[in-house]
Amino acid sequence: MKPRKNLTYKDSGVDISSGERAVELIREKVSRTFIPGVLTEIGGFGSLFSLRDYPMEDPVLVSGADGVGTKLKVAFMMNRHDTVGIDAVAMCANDVITTGARPLFFLDYIGTGRLDPGTVVEIVDGLAEGCRRAGCALVGGETAEMPGIYAPGEYDLAGFCVGIVERTKIIDGTSIRPGDAVIGLPSSGLHSNGFSLVRKVVFEVHGMDPFGYVAELGAPLGDALLEPTVIYADAVLKLVEKFPVGGIAHVTGGGLAGNLSRVIPVGLKAEIVPESWTPPPVFGFIRELGGIAGEEMNRVFNMGIGMALVVPGGAASDVLGFLSEQSSGGFEIGRIAAK
């Protein structure tokens, strides 16, 4: 077989120049997220972060990693990529703050078949906005071009967040007692969980148009589904400085009960009162459209509560007042009891 001459990496589907253009386009956006401690610009082999500006007697680093899941499929359908970066930061930063830790920095991973600099810029816009909301720095990441792995126009997005907390201030659920109140922080909608079921209901079973306006949602279907995950860092970190918090649960896949049980000590349970809050309309819309049982809805979705905090019962009223002042709002959704 006669060898072909002058083959290049670009001939195989990888355009190094596109990657370089993408880095230059996002450099300024990333730099605007930097906070005290960041020692390096983007483009190096490793990101350096100094803890000198965060003096603690016994500092503990807290890390979290997550992705956006099949919510990305909706972004592909809409050709809208400016919100999924917020979701990527939220899924990681919200996990980190459940320990009482302050998010310090975030790294991303974008894998795609063919790198489109414009799409990367949109994604990074969302990542930078998410980091701003979380109060952390976007210090680096990886954009991998892998022809043959991803369908044309598609990509995967994951993130990694590191935070810091004083060891004596770690929130781990061990101080939770019967009579404590469960405070729920409202979600903005689906957040980033349950989208395989959602997509089956609205697109596969009912063939709905993602650009079509849905009166029940007050928006085009795709826009309502892409509503970004709430980042609770500011409200939660201010709250834990002011009030004793025994446990915090980020409500993701598995629903409220499944995630709250992860922070409640053995021998105790959370008695939740579903009537104490009203879920956003998207949940009723999906439930009715798919004929989904209530138990399944509660097991798959957050049902309007994105974060749950356990506080002493006597402090519940003051905590709710504080959350109202922070504009995040909240509900007393239950109490802790013995099993």
Side-chain angles (χ1 to χ4, degrees):
M1 184 178 293
K2 186 177 180 180
R4 180 178 173 182
K5 296 181 180 179
N6 299 321
L7 279 174
T8 66
Y9 207 6
K10 188 174 182 178
D11 292 325
S12 69
V14 179
D15 187 350
I16 294 175
S17 297
S18 291
E20 293 171 343
R21 285 197 301 275
V23 170
E24 289 307 311
L25 288 170
I26 66 177
R27 187 179 299 277
E28 183 180 353
K29 300 174 188 296
V30 171
S31 297
R32 287 202 294 264
T33 71
F34 288 176
I35 62 174
V38 177
L39 301 181
T40 50
E41 294 291 332
I42 67 168
F45 293 102
S47 301
L48 303 179
F49 194 97
S50 171
L51 298 180
R52 179 177 296 177
D53 293 301
Y54 307 90
M56 295 181 181
E57 292 185 6
D58 191 1
V60 175
L61 295 179
V62 182
S63 58
D66 209 337
V68 183
T70 62
K71 186 174 187 176
L72 291 176
K73 285 284 191 178
V74 183
F76 304 154
M77 296 173 75
M78 300 288 288
N79 193 27
R80 180 183 175 191
H81 312 284
D82 60 336
T83 61
V84 291
I86 300 174
D87 290 304
V89 176
M91 296 304 289
C92 300
N94 285 344
D95 280 352
V96 166
I97 64 173
T98 62
T99 63
R102 170 182 177 175
L104 293 177
F105 57 86
F106 181 89
L107 299 99
D108 67 88
Y109 170 82
I110 304 170
T112 186
R114 185 185 68 81
L115 193 151
D116 176 61
T119 298
V120 172
V121 169
E122 282 193 67
I123 296 169
V124 174
D125 274 340
L127 291 168
E129 174 61 20
C131 287
R132 186 192 67 78
R133 296 181 187 185
C136 64
L138 178 56
V139 296
E142 169 69 1
T143 303
E145 195 170 21
M146 297 182 287
I149 298 295
Y150 299 94
E154 298 195 353
Y155 55 84
D156 195 13
L157 174 62
F160 315 86
C161 185
V162 174
I164 190 169
V165 62
E166 184 75 72
R167 183 185 290 268
T168 57
K169 295 183 178 180
I170 292 174
I171 298 171
D172 59 7
T174 56
S175 66
I176 294 175
R177 298 290 183 268
D180 285 352
V182 181
I183 304 296
L185 304 186
S187 72
S188 58
L190 297 167
H191 284 185
S192 297
N193 297 102
F195 272 84
S196 294
L197 177 57
V198 170
R199 290 187 302 109
K200 184 174 184 65
V201 169
V202 299
F203 300 128
E204 184 177 331
V205 175
H206 288 276
M208 296 185 70
D209 178 3
F211 296 95
Y213 184 84
V214 179
E216 300 98 306
L217 305 179
L221 175 61
D223 288 345
L225 298 183
L226 286 177
E227 182 67 30
T229 305
V230 176
I231 296 176
Y232 298 98
D234 185 61
V236 168
L237 294 179
K238 288 178 179 177
L239 191 147
V240 300
E241 285 295 318
K242 191 173 179 65
F243 299 96
V245 177
I248 306 176
H250 180 200
V251 184
T252 55
L256 178 59
N259 286 281
L260 193 52
S261 65
R262 296 166 63 180
V263 301
I264 297 176
V266 175
L268 299 179
K269 63 180 179 179
E271 296 182 335
I272 302 299
V273 182
E275 297 78 20
S276 56
W277 78 94
T278 301
V282 68
F283 296 105
F285 174 74
I286 296 299
R287 181 179 63 243
E288 183 175 347
L289 204 62
I292 305 170
E295 182 180 354
E296 181 72 357
M297 291 291 296
N298 292 331
R299 193 167 68 93
V300 175
F301 301 110
N302 67 63
M303 298 305 294
I305 300 297
M307 188 79 75
L309 302 91
V310 182
V311 303
S317 179
D318 290 337
V319 167
L320 291 174
F322 177 80
L323 289 171
S324 179
E325 293 172 0
Q326 299 301 310
S327 300
S328 57
F331 318 95
E332 182 175 344
I333 62 173
R335 291 275 169 158
I336 301 298
K339 284 187 176 179

